[in-house]
Amino acid sequence: MSFFAKQTIVAQPGFNRWLVPPAALSVHLCIGQAYAFSVFNEPLSRAVGIGAATPEDWKLTTLGWIFSLAIVFLGLSAAVGGKWLEKVGPRLTMFVAACCFGGGFWVAALGVQLHEIGLLYLGYGVLGGIGLGLGYVSPVSTLIKWFPDRRGMATGMAIMGFGGGAMIGAPLAVWLMTHFKSATSVGVAETFMTMGSVYFLSMTIGALAIRIPPPDWRPPGWTPPAVRHKMITDKHVHIDQALKTPQFYLLWLVLCLNVTAGIGVLGQASVMIQEMFKGRVDAAAAAGFVGLLSLFNMVGRFFWSSASDYLGRKQTYFVFFAIGALLYGTVPTSGGAGNLPLFVVLYALIMSMYGGGFATIPAYLADIFGTMYVGGIHGRLLTAWSTAGVLGPVLVNYLREYQIGQGVAKGDAYNVTMYIMAGILVLGFIANLAIRPVHEKHHMKHDEFDELDGVYPADDH
């Protein structure tokens, strides 16, 4: 196991730090495929009947649990595995993620072949979800340590890959299913095997390429500013101690509320634009709208996280919540006026800030808690994503059904939802406003570092 040991991957003098982001991207571009899992649902619903669904085939409601399980186990594995990541380092964690994510596809392929839904739940839902969680957090703390001068930009590069993974994964899956389709197969099992192998290889290459900086490393020519921003600490908070601070729970709320407002609407984007602009937007145009939102989701991750290096993390979230609430409040007006271009622009901006929230939060955590345990703390904070992944769609779907049940036209059934989403962002604004620097009683002392490695990171002290 010495090959995977944390000490083995300490970079040698002269190592180019710009080799680390591609290693992170090789993981995030793979696990981002999760956003495109819906392309498998329709073929899986006729895995027995092939040409058309039969009574023995799985229903879409049954298949929907695969993605839900994956997101739940993403949050759980990130929360539980984050502390282990800080102990063993990113190489072993990324390799385990590759085994779980790639292996999850292979187990799911067996489930399709045997027509056992439990194997799909176990494969893609549980194993794949664990791979998602470990793969998501494993490069983050490493990037922050390599780029203390541009934390937001560094994490944005990797997390942008997660947002863009679906743009590669969706067409790849469709092409493979078409290639493998036959009179006796819808091509899903073969596609799972192929994609699992490709993703395992890509993620393993990333694990082999990753390096961590020496404890006393700094970018050439860079020194920490003499006068630091009060919201950026030069101390460190232990991962377990972070849970005892109000800042952790406020940041949990900040992420949860930002994601809740975006994820529910993202899941209903195609139906929503067709119902609000009935007769003007068909299914093909709605698919283009969804693709545009995905693009803004991806680009927003890099743009906003990079901007946060100059604006500050707290101020960037102020923008997300204040402008986001205004945008949501304007959506019903644009829909009622039949202003389709304005509607598209509003949602493109909303999705850019939704993605930006994911990419900015790791740097926000590093500013508040220091860099030593940021990967593990980030993992625990991602339970906010799992919560929002349930809360957002439930709010949008059930409010829509209630409105329609009350006799509201389908095109107007989203208006109340949009105002509620605006209210959710106002709550996020208040939570962000309450965030202050961590009290010094929570900071690690020098004797605690002696008990660990005898190392106090020089870039922060």
Side-chain angles (χ1 to χ4, degrees):
M1 293 294 289
S2 62
F3 178 74
F4 289 102
K6 194 173 182 180
Q7 295 78 6
T8 306
I9 59 173
V10 175
Q12 298 299 311
F15 180 80
N16 186 348
R17 64 174 175 166
W18 289 99
L19 296 174
V20 178
L25 277 171
S26 68
V27 173
H28 273 240
L29 283 171
C30 293
I31 61 176
Q33 182 278 336
Y35 275 148
F37 187 81
S38 60
V39 301
F40 295 117
N41 286 339
E42 194 277 332
L44 283 171
S45 71
R46 48 183 174 82
V48 174
I50 310 300
T54 66
E56 292 78 25
D57 274 306
W58 297 310
K59 297 186 181 300
L60 289 177
T61 49
T62 303
L63 295 168
W65 282 102
I66 301 171
F67 177 74
S68 297
L69 275 171
I71 295 301
V72 168
F73 276 88
L74 182 158
L76 292 175
S77 62
V80 174
K83 189 174 183 179
W84 178 69
L85 156 67
E86 300 294 359
K87 179 181 178 181
V88 303
R91 173 178 283 181
L92 179 58
T93 312
M94 290 164 76
F95 180 68
V96 171
C99 292
C100 289
F101 194 65
F105 270 99
W106 299 333
V107 173
L110 181 62
V112 176
Q113 205 68 31
L114 300 177
H115 202 66
E116 289 288 343
I117 191 65
L119 287 175
L120 272 86
Y121 290 161
L122 172 63
Y124 196 93
V126 178
L127 286 175
I130 292 170
L132 282 170
L134 295 179
Y136 192 89
V137 299
S138 52
V140 169
S141 62
T142 305
L143 283 166
I144 286 174
K145 289 165 186 170
W146 275 114
F147 292 87
D149 49 338
R150 284 178 279 186
R151 291 173 177 173
M153 182 208 69
T155 57
M157 281 188 287
I159 294 176
M160 177 181 70
F162 189 86
M167 299 183 72
I168 298 172
L172 175 63
V174 171
W175 181 82
L176 286 171
M177 284 188 289
T178 303
H179 175 74
F180 289 119
K181 186 178 178 182
S182 69
T184 58
S185 172
V186 291
V188 175
E190 299 88 342
T191 298
F192 278 173
M193 287 297 296
T194 304
M195 293 183 76
S197 301
V198 170
Y199 287 152
F200 171 77
L201 181 61
S202 175
M203 293 171 73
T204 299
I205 291 172
L208 297 178
I210 200 74
R211 295 291 184 275
I212 59 176
D216 58 349
W217 183 86
R218 287 175 181 167
W222 179 81
T223 54
V227 179
R228 299 180 70 100
H229 193 284
K230 65 178 182 179
M231 291 299 294
I232 302 178
T233 186
D234 60 354
K235 309 298 184 196
H236 299 272
V237 179
H238 191 276
I239 183 172
D240 295 329
Q241 191 66 24
L243 296 182
K244 301 175 183 178
T245 67
Q247 285 81 0
F248 178 86
Y249 298 98
L250 287 170
L251 286 165
W252 192 96
L253 273 175
V254 161
L255 180 62
C256 183
L257 294 170
N258 187 62
V259 174
T260 296
I263 200 168
V265 173
L266 187 61
Q268 287 291 327
S270 176
V271 175
M272 180 176 60
I273 194 170
Q274 290 181 75
E275 291 182 345
M276 293 186 76
F277 296 93
K278 193 171 182 63
R280 295 177 60 189
V281 177
D282 58 15
F289 174 62
V290 173
L292 181 68
L293 295 187
S294 297
L295 178 63
F296 272 81
N297 176 12
M298 180 182 70
V299 174
R301 292 169 187 248
F302 181 74
F303 173 80
W304 287 111
S305 59
S306 298
S308 75
D309 287 331
Y310 303 95
L311 297 175
R313 254 60 78 171
K314 188 172 183 176
Q315 289 74 14
T316 301
Y317 268 96
F318 276 151
V319 172
F320 293 162
F321 290 127
I323 296 182
L326 180 63
L327 293 175
Y328 269 114
T330 309
V331 166
T333 305
S334 68
N339 193 332
L340 181 58
L342 177 60
F343 179 89
V344 172
V345 169
L346 290 173
Y347 268 107
L349 291 173
I350 286 169
M351 282 303 112
S352 80
M353 291 187 284
Y354 163 76
F358 279 113
T360 305
I361 202 70
Y364 205 165
L365 290 169
D367 290 352
I368 296 294
F369 297 109
T371 60
M372 189 164 216
Y373 287 99
V374 67
I377 296 170
H378 182 218
R380 293 183 176 182
L381 197 83
L382 286 181
T383 53
W385 182 4
S386 297
T387 304
V390 175
L391 185 60
V394 165
L395 275 173
V396 171
N397 296 338
Y398 280 88
L399 281 171
R400 174 184 176 275
E401 290 301 317
Y402 176 77
Q403 290 283 298
I404 293 173
Q406 296 297 306
V408 176
K410 286 185 177 180
D412 298 326
Y414 297 96
N415 291 356
V416 173
T417 305
M418 296 304 106
Y419 292 131
I420 290 175
M421 293 304 176
I424 285 173
L425 291 180
V426 170
L427 292 177
F429 184 92
I430 295 170
N432 188 54
L433 185 66
I435 295 173
R436 298 286 187 272
V438 171
H439 193 279
E440 62 181 15
K441 69 180 180 181
H442 298 293
H443 294 155
M444 294 179 70
K445 308 298 187 291
H446 279 279
D447 57 346
E448 292 180 88
F449 287 94
D450 293 337
E451 292 173 8
L452 294 171
D453 305 286
V455 172
Y456 200 109
D459 62 321
D460 285 335
H461 183 69

